[in-house]
Each structure stands twice: as structure tokens, then as C-alpha cells.
Amino acid sequence: MGFTEMDYRQDARDFLMRCRARLTPQQAGLPAWEGNRRVPGLRREEAALLAGISVDYYGRLERGDLSGASAQVLDALADALRMDDAERTHLFDLARGISEGAVGARISQPRAGAQAVRPQVQWLLDAMTDTPAYVRNASSDILAANALARALYAPLFDMQHPNMLRFIFLQEDSREFFPDWDDVAQQSVGALHLASGRPEVARAVSHLVGELCTSSVRFAQLWAQHGVRQHRTGTKRFHHPVVGALTLGYESMQLTADPDLVLNSYVAEPGSTDAQTLQLLATWSRPASGTVMVD
């Protein structure tokens, strides 16, 4: 079952309420009146004032009725609630999902090619001999990888159908593999929440969300927080079962010809101990590179 219009409205409601609740009048540049406030953040009236819209219209938007909202209104709402780029993108995706009826015929079936990579993409991965790199879809299924990525993520590739979120939340050894496990978990859920607003991939994402909410208490807790995150670059620490501690920078890039797919690559600082460790990992025996089959 995919996202319905009601699912999108509920997600939009929860998302906007969370954004409003975290913003204080002082942060928004409004006077802080004396007396007890019944809400932790802005009142609806204050949010409407900042967005330049009526209180009634703001209330309608916060109830999840984003259908028909113009780009100007959505931008004003995002500015008023101090949304970052990822949250602004999520707001627009939710509005698009609601306006399109969420599960119209256009997304009633999986998109062609959503579970496969083109041969040229695999050739590119294999040419990156000194850099671990893999391609994932919006549901964090690993669709293809090079040999060094398989060596780096050896515990993940022990799974029959490698999926980063299932590894993080359902495999106990992920907590040892990622020394900063809770940060990795929050980032991964935030990225999935961002993807959930896109109608073209919502069906696949909703299946994964349902599975993980049932199977992992921690995932359910993080999902309920409605955090939205983008992770295009950063640093990640690993504790590899063979070579030990490793800290790598990562870059995340959307494939222009396949916008539902993302290429993740990792790199060590030249001349560092981590670079030497990565070279050692490259000599370790590992499975051949190639496309990964997923359900």
C-alpha cells in the first residue's frame, strides 16, 4: 500500500506543527509577552503573521490542506518557520503529493528502472578503484557497488538484499560497525522522511517505513519526530571487523539521468592513517563488484 492523500495530509500536519513548536517568539524576532504560554513555540496567530497570511488560512495549511497553495505561499511559510533547505524541499513535495492525490495512476506501479542501474553506472563504479562507492535508491536499497565498497561495508553485504536502513535498525552488529550509531540512525531516518514526501517514490518508502516501525522501537521513535535531513557531504566513522577504526569523508550525488538514484562515495584524507587503512582494506579479499539484486 502506498501513501494516500490522507497520509500526506497527516504528515504535513505533523511536520508543520513540529516546525512551529520548535521556534520561539524571540527566535522569530517577535516580542515575548509576559504570562504563561500554552504552546512551546509560536502560536498559530504568530506564525500566520510572520508568513503574511490570515490565521484562518494558516490553520487550514497546518491541518494538512496544502492543495492549491502557491509557491509564494509555501516559500513564505518556510521562511516564517525558519525551514532549512531540506525542510523546504519536503514542504513542497508534500504539497505536490496532496495536489496530485498522492496515489494516482502515475505512481500506482513502481517506476521502470527504479530497482536497477544502467551498465554505464556500474562501469563508473568499477573505475573508482581507490574509492568505496555504491548506488542506492530512495528506500536505501543498495543497487550496485564497487569492490572497495563491498569490502568497507562487508557486514551490510552479508545481507541477502543489502539495505542500509534494515542494516542499521535490524542488525545488531551495526552498533559496533558505526561508533556514532545514534547519529547515523537519525541521519538515515531524516533522509527517508525527506524521500517520503516525493510522490514518485512514496509507495516503496511507505512499505519500508511500515516494516521498520513494526520491527524497531528506535526507528518508530525517530520516525515520529518528523525530522527531515539532507546528507550530501560529511564525515563518517567506522569500526571495520578486519581493519579496525576508519574515518572517511563522504559525498552523496544524485544521478542526473536517474534522479531516483544516489551515488555515495567515500574518501580518506591523503597521507593520513585512514588513507593507509583504506589501502590495506583494498588488498583484503572480498566478493566481486557488481549489481545487487533487490526484491
Side-chain angles (χ1 to χ4, degrees):
M1 182 178 69
F3 271 25
T4 65
E5 182 178 357
M6 187 60 67
D7 292 326
Y8 272 99
R9 287 175 180 265
Q10 182 64 44
D11 200 11
R13 175 183 177 276
D14 294 341
F15 175 62
L16 290 174
M17 289 181 66
R18 182 186 68 83
C19 289
R20 177 168 62 84
R22 73 183 179 190
L23 189 61
T24 67
Q26 295 91 330
Q27 291 171 328
L30 295 174
W33 305 109
E34 295 296 330
N36 294 327
R37 294 176 63 89
R38 292 182 297 174
V39 293
L42 295 179
R43 298 187 177 99
R44 288 191 180 88
E45 295 85 352
E46 293 166 332
L49 174 66
L50 290 169
I53 57 180
S54 70
V55 176
D56 287 345
Y57 188 32
Y58 178 84
R60 171 187 150 189
L61 296 175
E62 196 175 272
R63 287 193 295 274
D65 186 3
L66 301 179
S67 59
S70 67
Q72 291 81 1
V73 167
L74 295 176
D75 272 327
L77 186 58
D79 289 341
L81 298 180
R82 303 290 179 90
M83 293 184 187
D84 61 21
D85 289 343
E87 291 166 335
R88 188 182 298 264
T89 297
H90 189 55
L91 176 64
F92 274 78
D93 285 340
L94 290 172
R96 182 163 60 96
I98 292 169
S99 296
E100 292 177 357
V103 289
R106 188 170 68 85
I107 60 171
S108 60
Q109 299 294 327
R111 288 179 55 158
Q115 302 297 323
V117 299
R118 292 173 290 111
Q120 293 89 339
V121 175
Q122 184 63 61
W123 301 342
L124 172 64
L125 293 174
D126 290 339
M128 301 167 70
T129 55
D130 296 326
T131 301
Y134 64 83
V135 171
R136 65 169 177 83
N137 61 15
S139 299
S140 289
D141 296 310
I142 310 302
L143 305 183
N146 63 11
L148 195 48
R150 286 175 174 268
L152 175 63
Y153 276 103
L156 170 67
F157 283 98
D158 284 341
M159 301 172 67
Q160 183 177 5
H161 301 295
N163 177 282
M164 189 64 71
L165 280 153
R166 290 190 181 99
F167 174 67
I168 292 169
F169 289 98
L170 303 183
Q171 301 292 320
E172 189 62 33
D173 55 350
S174 69
R175 293 179 177 269
E176 182 177 357
F177 185 72
F178 292 119
D180 305 310
W181 185 89
D182 203 57
D183 288 342
V184 171
Q186 290 185 52
Q187 291 170 3
S188 299
V189 174
L192 189 67
H193 238 308
L194 183 62
S196 73
R198 295 162 48 202
E200 59 270 22
V201 298
R203 181 174 182 267
V205 169
S206 68
H207 281 291
L208 181 62
V209 170
E211 173 192 342
L212 293 178
C213 279
T214 301
S215 305
S216 169
V217 172
R218 183 56 179 152
F219 177 87
Q221 291 171 339
L222 291 174
W223 186 257
Q225 293 175 10
H226 296 277
V228 177
R229 305 275 288 273
Q230 273 181 336
H231 305 285
R232 295 171 176 161
T233 186
T235 301
K236 186 169 290 186
R237 294 200 304 146
F238 303 87
H239 186 272
H240 193 273
V242 173
V243 299
L246 191 60
T247 300
L248 300 175
Y250 68 85
E251 298 291 330
S252 182
M253 298 159 279
Q254 187 179 58
L255 297 181
T256 304
D258 304 292
D260 291 345
L261 304 184
V262 173
L263 189 154
N264 279 20
S265 61
Y266 295 83
V267 64
E269 181 180 352
S272 66
T273 301
D274 294 308
Q276 296 173 5
T277 304
L278 192 59
Q279 289 178 347
L280 176 61
L281 183 61
T283 67
W284 178 55
S285 177
R286 66 264 177 173
S289 66
T291 300
V292 181
M293 298 304 294
V294 298
D295 290 331

